[in-house]
Amino acid sequence: RKEVEQDPGPFNVPEGATVAFNCTYSNSASQSFFWYRQDCRKEPKLLMSVYSSGNEDGRFTAQLNRASQYISLLIRDSKLSDSATYLCVVNPGETSYDKVIFGPGTSLSVIP
Amino acid sequence: SAVISQKPSRDICQRGTSLTIQCQVDSQVTMMFWYRQQPGQSLTLIATANQGSEATYESGFVIDKFPISRPNLTFSTLTVSNMSPEDSSIYLCSVDSGVEQYFGPGTRLTVT
């Protein structure tokens, strides 16, 4: 089993749709979790951290389920500019300097 | 935040040659990371570079193939040695701020 797995995608959704991405991780001791966004031919950039209680940032909601070792990202009212690859990132260690592990990414295309 | 620059941004090289990629950060950082992202794939960590010590390589990556220098707290180089077409990839350097990872814009390498 891979350390971090994501929905394979690609997801093609119309503007205004709600879309959810799932991510699972294998190391139950993992400490922190993130969603990164990578636009085509660009470097990854942090979209949001994922907190135990769940967190929301505008149209984006991240959830963490430690018991199931599962993370999700929900995007409401999709915009064309949301088209990108979304990377689930897990820090398995106790410090922020431990090596993070990137999931394979889920590609999203928002269609007019 | 951290601003990272990389040189070159892209290159086309012949097999058997070597290319050195430079990474410059606008602030002093303890650890710098080098990643590879092959076409259509997620990021794979090559090595972690600390100033004043040898880089720590991940499984599947060796110093002879990917020598790394870290002469000071703001700069690092990655050399891709004796290149083959399989080395065609995007190479990204990264730093960890303690909150998130910042990435350079990447070096797009094509080996012919």
Side-chain angles (χ1 to χ4, degrees), chain B residues 43-101:
Chain B
L43 285 78
T44 300
L45 182 64
I46 298 171
T48 303
N50 287 337
Q51 192 267 334
S53 62
E54 271 198 10
T56 302
Y57 289 83
E58 296 302 299
S59 175
F61 298 96
V62 295
I63 189 171
D64 289 346
K65 175 67 176 177
F66 297 101
I68 288 171
S69 78
R70 183 77 202 276
N72 58 52
L73 291 173
T74 63
F75 186 79
S76 178
T77 67
L78 170 75
T79 299
V80 186
S81 303
N82 188 25
M83 288 183 283
S84 66
E86 292 70 37
D87 295 320
S88 297
S89 187
I90 299 172
Y91 293 85
L92 300 111
C93 69
S94 169
V95 303
D96 191 321
S97 71
V99 176
E100 68 180 271
Q101 278 198 283

Short mmCIF file of all heavy atoms in Angstrom, two decimals, chain B residues 43-101:
data_model
loop_
_atom_site.label_atom_id
_atom_site.label_comp_id
_atom_site.label_asym_id
_atom_site.label_seq_id
_atom_site.Cartn_x
_atom_site.Cartn_y
_atom_site.Cartn_z
N LEU B 43 5.53 14.54 -6.77
CA LEU B 43 6.90 14.86 -6.41
C LEU B 43 7.55 13.71 -5.66
O LEU B 43 6.93 13.10 -4.78
CB LEU B 43 6.92 16.11 -5.51
CG LEU B 43 6.69 17.44 -6.21
CD1 LEU B 43 5.22 17.66 -6.51
CD2 LEU B 43 7.25 18.57 -5.39
N THR B 44 8.80 13.46 -5.99
CA THR B 44 9.59 12.45 -5.30
C THR B 44 10.81 13.14 -4.70
O THR B 44 11.55 13.82 -5.42
CB THR B 44 10.05 11.35 -6.27
OG1 THR B 44 8.90 10.73 -6.85
CG2 THR B 44 10.87 10.30 -5.54
N LEU B 45 11.02 12.93 -3.42
CA LEU B 45 12.16 13.56 -2.75
C LEU B 45 13.44 12.85 -3.17
O LEU B 45 13.53 11.62 -3.09
CB LEU B 45 11.98 13.49 -1.24
CG LEU B 45 13.07 14.15 -0.39
CD1 LEU B 45 13.11 15.65 -0.64
CD2 LEU B 45 12.84 13.86 1.08
N ILE B 46 14.41 13.65 -3.62
CA ILE B 46 15.72 13.10 -3.97
C ILE B 46 16.62 13.07 -2.74
O ILE B 46 17.20 12.05 -2.40
CB ILE B 46 16.40 13.94 -5.08
CG1 ILE B 46 15.56 13.92 -6.36
CG2 ILE B 46 17.82 13.47 -5.33
CD1 ILE B 46 16.04 14.90 -7.42
N ALA B 47 16.73 14.24 -2.09
CA ALA B 47 17.65 14.34 -0.96
C ALA B 47 17.33 15.59 -0.15
O ALA B 47 16.66 16.51 -0.61
CB ALA B 47 19.09 14.40 -1.45
N THR B 48 17.84 15.57 1.08
CA THR B 48 17.74 16.71 1.99
C THR B 48 19.14 17.25 2.19
O THR B 48 20.07 16.49 2.47
CB THR B 48 17.16 16.26 3.34
OG1 THR B 48 15.89 15.65 3.10
CG2 THR B 48 17.00 17.43 4.27
N ALA B 49 19.29 18.56 2.07
CA ALA B 49 20.61 19.17 2.15
C ALA B 49 20.69 20.12 3.34
O ALA B 49 19.93 21.08 3.44
CB ALA B 49 20.90 19.94 0.86
N ASN B 50 21.58 19.81 4.26
CA ASN B 50 21.87 20.68 5.39
C ASN B 50 23.20 21.38 5.15
O ASN B 50 24.12 20.79 4.59
CB ASN B 50 21.98 19.88 6.68
CG ASN B 50 20.63 19.40 7.16
OD1 ASN B 50 19.61 19.98 6.82
ND2 ASN B 50 20.63 18.36 7.94
N GLN B 51 23.29 22.61 5.59
CA GLN B 51 24.53 23.34 5.43
C GLN B 51 25.62 22.73 6.30
O GLN B 51 25.40 22.46 7.47
CB GLN B 51 24.31 24.82 5.80
CG GLN B 51 25.46 25.72 5.38
CD GLN B 51 26.49 25.92 6.47
OE1 GLN B 51 26.15 25.80 7.64
NE2 GLN B 51 27.72 26.22 6.12
N GLY B 52 26.76 22.48 5.70
CA GLY B 52 27.91 21.99 6.45
C GLY B 52 27.98 20.49 6.62
O GLY B 52 28.88 19.98 7.31
N SER B 53 27.06 19.77 6.03
CA SER B 53 27.12 18.31 6.13
C SER B 53 26.70 17.70 4.80
O SER B 53 26.13 18.39 3.95
CB SER B 53 26.23 17.80 7.26
OG SER B 53 24.89 18.12 7.02
N GLU B 54 26.97 16.42 4.67
CA GLU B 54 26.59 15.74 3.42
C GLU B 54 25.08 15.62 3.33
O GLU B 54 24.40 15.45 4.34
CB GLU B 54 27.22 14.34 3.39
CG GLU B 54 28.59 14.33 2.77
CD GLU B 54 29.00 12.93 2.33
OE1 GLU B 54 28.15 12.02 2.34
OE2 GLU B 54 30.17 12.76 1.99
N ALA B 55 24.61 15.65 2.11
CA ALA B 55 23.17 15.51 1.90
C ALA B 55 22.72 14.10 2.26
O ALA B 55 23.50 13.14 2.20
CB ALA B 55 22.83 15.82 0.45
N THR B 56 21.47 13.99 2.64
CA THR B 56 20.86 12.69 2.95
C THR B 56 19.98 12.29 1.79
O THR B 56 19.01 13.00 1.48
CB THR B 56 20.02 12.79 4.23
OG1 THR B 56 20.85 13.24 5.31
CG2 THR B 56 19.43 11.43 4.57
N TYR B 57 20.30 11.15 1.17
CA TYR B 57 19.61 10.72 -0.05
C TYR B 57 18.50 9.73 0.28
O TYR B 57 18.64 8.88 1.16
CB TYR B 57 20.60 10.11 -1.04
CG TYR B 57 21.51 11.15 -1.64
CD1 TYR B 57 22.65 11.59 -0.97
CD2 TYR B 57 21.21 11.72 -2.87
CE1 TYR B 57 23.47 12.57 -1.51
CE2 TYR B 57 22.02 12.70 -3.43
CZ TYR B 57 23.14 13.12 -2.73
OH TYR B 57 23.95 14.09 -3.27
N GLU B 58 17.44 9.81 -0.49
CA GLU B 58 16.34 8.87 -0.36
C GLU B 58 16.67 7.59 -1.13
O GLU B 58 17.56 7.56 -1.98
CB GLU B 58 15.06 9.49 -0.91
CG GLU B 58 14.60 10.71 -0.11
CD GLU B 58 14.36 10.39 1.34
OE1 GLU B 58 13.50 9.53 1.63
OE2 GLU B 58 15.05 10.98 2.19
N SER B 59 15.90 6.58 -0.82
CA SER B 59 16.09 5.29 -1.48
C SER B 59 15.94 5.45 -2.98
O SER B 59 14.99 6.07 -3.46
CB SER B 59 15.06 4.29 -0.96
OG SER B 59 15.15 3.08 -1.66
N GLY B 60 16.90 4.93 -3.71
CA GLY B 60 16.84 5.01 -5.17
C GLY B 60 17.66 6.15 -5.74
O GLY B 60 17.78 6.26 -6.96
N PHE B 61 18.19 6.98 -4.88
CA PHE B 61 19.00 8.11 -5.32
C PHE B 61 20.37 8.03 -4.64
O PHE B 61 20.46 7.76 -3.45
CB PHE B 61 18.33 9.44 -4.98
CG PHE B 61 17.00 9.63 -5.65
CD1 PHE B 61 15.82 9.31 -4.98
CD2 PHE B 61 16.92 10.10 -6.95
CE1 PHE B 61 14.60 9.47 -5.60
CE2 PHE B 61 15.70 10.27 -7.58
CZ PHE B 61 14.53 9.95 -6.89
N VAL B 62 21.43 8.26 -5.43
CA VAL B 62 22.78 8.13 -4.89
C VAL B 62 23.59 9.38 -5.20
O VAL B 62 23.33 10.09 -6.17
CB VAL B 62 23.50 6.89 -5.45
CG1 VAL B 62 22.80 5.62 -4.97
CG2 VAL B 62 23.59 6.93 -6.96
N ILE B 63 24.58 9.59 -4.35
CA ILE B 63 25.39 10.81 -4.45
C ILE B 63 26.15 10.89 -5.76
O ILE B 63 26.34 11.97 -6.30
CB ILE B 63 26.33 10.92 -3.23
CG1 ILE B 63 27.03 12.28 -3.20
CG2 ILE B 63 27.33 9.78 -3.22
CD1 ILE B 63 27.80 12.53 -1.92
N ASP B 64 26.60 9.75 -6.27
CA ASP B 64 27.37 9.79 -7.52
C ASP B 64 26.54 10.30 -8.69
O ASP B 64 27.06 10.93 -9.60
CB ASP B 64 27.91 8.39 -7.85
CG ASP B 64 29.02 7.97 -6.91
OD1 ASP B 64 29.54 8.84 -6.17
OD2 ASP B 64 29.35 6.78 -6.88
N LYS B 65 25.26 10.02 -8.65
CA LYS B 65 24.37 10.42 -9.73
C LYS B 65 23.84 11.85 -9.50
O LYS B 65 23.66 12.61 -10.44
CB LYS B 65 23.19 9.44 -9.81
CG LYS B 65 22.11 9.79 -10.81
CD LYS B 65 22.60 9.69 -12.24
CE LYS B 65 21.45 9.95 -13.21
NZ LYS B 65 21.94 9.92 -14.62
N PHE B 66 23.57 12.17 -8.25
CA PHE B 66 22.97 13.47 -7.90
C PHE B 66 23.78 14.18 -6.81
O PHE B 66 23.28 14.42 -5.71
CB PHE B 66 21.52 13.28 -7.42
CG PHE B 66 20.59 12.70 -8.44
CD1 PHE B 66 20.25 11.36 -8.41
CD2 PHE B 66 20.05 13.50 -9.44
CE1 PHE B 66 19.37 10.82 -9.36
CE2 PHE B 66 19.17 12.98 -10.38
CZ PHE B 66 18.85 11.63 -10.34
N PRO B 67 25.01 14.55 -7.09
CA PRO B 67 25.77 15.26 -6.06
C PRO B 67 25.14 16.60 -5.74
O PRO B 67 24.63 17.30 -6.61
CB PRO B 67 27.16 15.43 -6.71
CG PRO B 67 26.96 15.21 -8.16
CD PRO B 67 25.77 14.31 -8.32
N ILE B 68 25.17 16.93 -4.46
CA ILE B 68 24.54 18.16 -3.96
C ILE B 68 25.56 18.95 -3.17
O ILE B 68 26.35 18.41 -2.42
CB ILE B 68 23.34 17.80 -3.05
CG1 ILE B 68 22.17 17.27 -3.88
CG2 ILE B 68 22.89 18.99 -2.21
CD1 ILE B 68 21.03 16.70 -3.05
N SER B 69 25.52 20.25 -3.35
CA SER B 69 26.34 21.13 -2.51
C SER B 69 25.43 22.04 -1.71
O SER B 69 24.31 22.36 -2.12
CB SER B 69 27.28 21.98 -3.38
OG SER B 69 26.58 23.06 -3.98
N ARG B 70 25.91 22.42 -0.53
CA ARG B 70 25.14 23.35 0.33
C ARG B 70 26.17 24.22 1.04
O ARG B 70 26.44 24.06 2.22
CB ARG B 70 24.31 22.55 1.33
CG ARG B 70 23.42 23.39 2.20
CD ARG B 70 22.18 23.86 1.50
NE ARG B 70 21.63 25.04 2.14
CZ ARG B 70 20.82 25.04 3.19
NH1 ARG B 70 20.45 23.88 3.72
NH2 ARG B 70 20.39 26.16 3.70
N PRO B 71 26.74 25.16 0.31
CA PRO B 71 27.86 25.93 0.87
C PRO B 71 27.44 26.94 1.94
O PRO B 71 28.28 27.35 2.75
CB PRO B 71 28.42 26.65 -0.35
CG PRO B 71 27.27 26.74 -1.31
CD PRO B 71 26.47 25.50 -1.09
N ASN B 72 26.19 27.37 1.94
CA ASN B 72 25.73 28.33 2.95
C ASN B 72 24.23 28.17 3.17
O ASN B 72 23.61 27.27 2.59
CB ASN B 72 26.09 29.77 2.54
CG ASN B 72 25.49 30.15 1.20
OD1 ASN B 72 24.29 30.00 0.98
ND2 ASN B 72 26.33 30.63 0.29
N LEU B 73 23.67 29.01 3.99
CA LEU B 73 22.28 28.82 4.42
C LEU B 73 21.24 29.33 3.42
O LEU B 73 20.04 29.25 3.68
CB LEU B 73 22.06 29.50 5.78
CG LEU B 73 22.78 28.84 6.95
CD1 LEU B 73 22.64 29.69 8.20
CD2 LEU B 73 22.24 27.45 7.21
N THR B 74 21.70 29.89 2.30
CA THR B 74 20.74 30.42 1.32
C THR B 74 20.90 29.81 -0.06
O THR B 74 20.18 30.19 -0.99
CB THR B 74 20.89 31.96 1.17
OG1 THR B 74 22.21 32.25 0.66
CG2 THR B 74 20.69 32.65 2.52
N PHE B 75 21.79 28.85 -0.23
CA PHE B 75 22.12 28.39 -1.58
C PHE B 75 22.40 26.89 -1.58
O PHE B 75 22.96 26.34 -0.63
CB PHE B 75 23.37 29.14 -2.07
CG PHE B 75 23.74 28.87 -3.49
CD1 PHE B 75 23.05 29.49 -4.53
CD2 PHE B 75 24.77 28.00 -3.81
CE1 PHE B 75 23.39 29.25 -5.85
CE2 PHE B 75 25.12 27.75 -5.13
CZ PHE B 75 24.44 28.38 -6.15
N SER B 76 22.01 26.25 -2.69
CA SER B 76 22.32 24.83 -2.87
C SER B 76 22.38 24.55 -4.37
O SER B 76 21.79 25.27 -5.18
CB SER B 76 21.24 23.96 -2.22
OG SER B 76 21.50 22.58 -2.44
N THR B 77 23.12 23.52 -4.72
CA THR B 77 23.13 23.06 -6.11
C THR B 77 22.86 21.56 -6.14
O THR B 77 23.23 20.82 -5.22
CB THR B 77 24.46 23.34 -6.83
OG1 THR B 77 25.50 22.54 -6.26
CG2 THR B 77 24.84 24.80 -6.76
N LEU B 78 22.21 21.14 -7.21
CA LEU B 78 21.99 19.73 -7.51
C LEU B 78 22.57 19.47 -8.89
O LEU B 78 22.25 20.20 -9.83
CB LEU B 78 20.51 19.39 -7.50
CG LEU B 78 20.12 18.01 -8.03
CD1 LEU B 78 20.45 16.93 -7.01
CD2 LEU B 78 18.64 17.96 -8.38
N THR B 79 23.42 18.47 -8.99
CA THR B 79 23.96 18.09 -10.29
C THR B 79 23.33 16.78 -10.73
O THR B 79 23.25 15.84 -9.93
CB THR B 79 25.49 17.95 -10.24
OG1 THR B 79 26.06 19.22 -9.88
CG2 THR B 79 26.06 17.52 -11.59
N VAL B 80 22.87 16.73 -11.95
CA VAL B 80 22.39 15.49 -12.54
C VAL B 80 23.52 15.00 -13.44
O VAL B 80 23.84 15.65 -14.45
CB VAL B 80 21.09 15.69 -13.33
CG1 VAL B 80 20.54 14.35 -13.81
CG2 VAL B 80 20.05 16.43 -12.49
N SER B 81 24.14 13.89 -13.05
CA SER B 81 25.36 13.44 -13.71
C SER B 81 25.08 12.35 -14.74
O SER B 81 24.14 11.57 -14.59
CB SER B 81 26.33 12.88 -12.66
OG SER B 81 26.62 13.84 -11.68
N ASN B 82 25.94 12.32 -15.75
CA ASN B 82 25.87 11.26 -16.76
C ASN B 82 24.42 11.00 -17.17
O ASN B 82 23.90 9.90 -17.01
CB ASN B 82 26.52 9.99 -16.22
CG ASN B 82 26.65 8.90 -17.27
OD1 ASN B 82 26.71 9.19 -18.47
ND2 ASN B 82 26.69 7.66 -16.83
N MET B 83 23.81 12.03 -17.69
CA MET B 83 22.36 11.99 -17.92
C MET B 83 21.94 10.99 -18.99
O MET B 83 22.66 10.73 -19.95
CB MET B 83 21.88 13.40 -18.30
CG MET B 83 21.88 14.35 -17.13
SD MET B 83 21.23 15.95 -17.55
CE MET B 83 22.62 16.67 -18.42
N SER B 84 20.75 10.47 -18.79
CA SER B 84 20.09 9.61 -19.77
C SER B 84 18.68 10.16 -19.98
O SER B 84 18.21 10.97 -19.17
CB SER B 84 20.03 8.17 -19.27
OG SER B 84 19.19 8.08 -18.14
N PRO B 85 17.99 9.74 -21.02
CA PRO B 85 16.63 10.24 -21.25
C PRO B 85 15.70 10.03 -20.05
O PRO B 85 14.76 10.81 -19.86
CB PRO B 85 16.16 9.44 -22.47
CG PRO B 85 17.43 9.17 -23.22
CD PRO B 85 18.47 8.93 -22.15
N GLU B 86 15.96 9.01 -19.25
CA GLU B 86 15.13 8.76 -18.07
C GLU B 86 15.24 9.86 -17.03
O GLU B 86 14.40 9.95 -16.12
CB GLU B 86 15.50 7.42 -17.42
CG GLU B 86 15.16 6.18 -18.24
CD GLU B 86 16.04 6.03 -19.47
OE1 GLU B 86 17.25 6.36 -19.40
OE2 GLU B 86 15.51 5.59 -20.52
N ASP B 87 16.26 10.69 -17.12
CA ASP B 87 16.42 11.81 -16.19
C ASP B 87 15.60 13.02 -16.61
O ASP B 87 15.56 14.03 -15.88
CB ASP B 87 17.91 12.20 -16.09
CG ASP B 87 18.76 11.12 -15.49
OD1 ASP B 87 18.30 10.47 -14.52
OD2 ASP B 87 19.89 10.90 -15.96
N SER B 88 14.95 12.95 -17.75
CA SER B 88 14.09 14.06 -18.19
C SER B 88 12.98 14.24 -17.17
O SER B 88 12.20 13.32 -16.92
CB SER B 88 13.50 13.77 -19.57
OG SER B 88 14.53 13.67 -20.53
N SER B 89 12.92 15.43 -16.60
CA SER B 89 12.01 15.63 -15.48
C SER B 89 12.04 17.11 -15.10
O SER B 89 12.82 17.89 -15.65
CB SER B 89 12.47 14.77 -14.30
OG SER B 89 11.54 14.80 -13.26
N ILE B 90 11.20 17.46 -14.15
CA ILE B 90 11.31 18.78 -13.52
C ILE B 90 11.97 18.57 -12.17
O ILE B 90 11.59 17.68 -11.41
CB ILE B 90 9.93 19.41 -13.34
CG1 ILE B 90 9.24 19.61 -14.69
CG2 ILE B 90 10.05 20.76 -12.61
CD1 ILE B 90 7.80 20.06 -14.59
N TYR B 91 12.97 19.39 -11.90
CA TYR B 91 13.68 19.32 -10.62
C TYR B 91 13.34 20.57 -9.83
O TYR B 91 13.49 21.69 -10.32
CB TYR B 91 15.18 19.18 -10.85
CG TYR B 91 15.53 17.85 -11.48
CD1 TYR B 91 15.47 17.67 -12.86
CD2 TYR B 91 15.86 16.75 -10.70
CE1 TYR B 91 15.75 16.46 -13.45
CE2 TYR B 91 16.15 15.53 -11.28
CZ TYR B 91 16.09 15.39 -12.66
OH TYR B 91 16.35 14.17 -13.22
N LEU B 92 12.88 20.38 -8.60
CA LEU B 92 12.45 21.50 -7.77
C LEU B 92 13.22 21.51 -6.46
O LEU B 92 13.40 20.45 -5.84
CB LEU B 92 10.96 21.41 -7.44
CG LEU B 92 9.98 21.41 -8.61
CD1 LEU B 92 9.33 20.05 -8.76
CD2 LEU B 92 8.91 22.47 -8.40
N CYS B 93 13.62 22.69 -6.05
CA CYS B 93 14.16 22.80 -4.70
C CYS B 93 13.08 23.39 -3.80
O CYS B 93 12.14 24.05 -4.28
CB CYS B 93 15.44 23.61 -4.64
SG CYS B 93 15.26 25.35 -4.97
N SER B 94 13.22 23.13 -2.53
CA SER B 94 12.17 23.49 -1.59
C SER B 94 12.77 23.80 -0.24
O SER B 94 13.82 23.26 0.13
CB SER B 94 11.18 22.33 -1.48
OG SER B 94 10.28 22.51 -0.43
N VAL B 95 12.10 24.66 0.51
CA VAL B 95 12.48 24.92 1.90
C VAL B 95 11.23 24.81 2.75
O VAL B 95 10.11 24.97 2.27
CB VAL B 95 13.13 26.31 2.07
CG1 VAL B 95 14.35 26.44 1.18
CG2 VAL B 95 12.14 27.43 1.81
N ASP B 96 11.45 24.52 4.03
CA ASP B 96 10.35 24.37 4.96
C ASP B 96 10.41 25.52 5.95
O ASP B 96 11.39 25.69 6.65
CB ASP B 96 10.46 23.02 5.68
CG ASP B 96 9.21 22.68 6.46
OD1 ASP B 96 8.61 23.60 7.08
OD2 ASP B 96 8.83 21.51 6.47
N SER B 97 9.34 26.29 6.01
CA SER B 97 9.33 27.45 6.91
C SER B 97 8.94 27.07 8.33
O SER B 97 8.97 27.89 9.22
CB SER B 97 8.32 28.48 6.38
OG SER B 97 7.00 27.99 6.56
N GLY B 98 8.56 25.81 8.51
CA GLY B 98 8.02 25.39 9.79
C GLY B 98 6.49 25.39 9.77
O GLY B 98 5.86 24.78 10.62
N VAL B 99 5.94 26.07 8.79
CA VAL B 99 4.48 26.08 8.61
C VAL B 99 4.11 25.43 7.29
O VAL B 99 3.17 24.66 7.20
CB VAL B 99 3.95 27.53 8.64
CG1 VAL B 99 2.45 27.55 8.36
CG2 VAL B 99 4.27 28.17 9.98
N GLU B 100 4.84 25.76 6.25
CA GLU B 100 4.57 25.17 4.95
C GLU B 100 5.87 25.06 4.18
O GLU B 100 6.90 25.63 4.56
CB GLU B 100 3.58 26.03 4.17
CG GLU B 100 4.11 27.39 3.74
CD GLU B 100 3.08 28.19 2.97
OE1 GLU B 100 3.04 28.04 1.72
OE2 GLU B 100 2.35 28.97 3.59
N GLN B 101 5.81 24.30 3.11
CA GLN B 101 6.96 24.18 2.23
C GLN B 101 6.79 25.15 1.07
O GLN B 101 5.69 25.28 0.50
CB GLN B 101 7.08 22.76 1.69
CG GLN B 101 7.76 21.83 2.68
CD GLN B 101 8.28 20.57 2.01
OE1 GLN B 101 7.53 19.67 1.71
NE2 GLN B 101 9.57 20.50 1.76
#
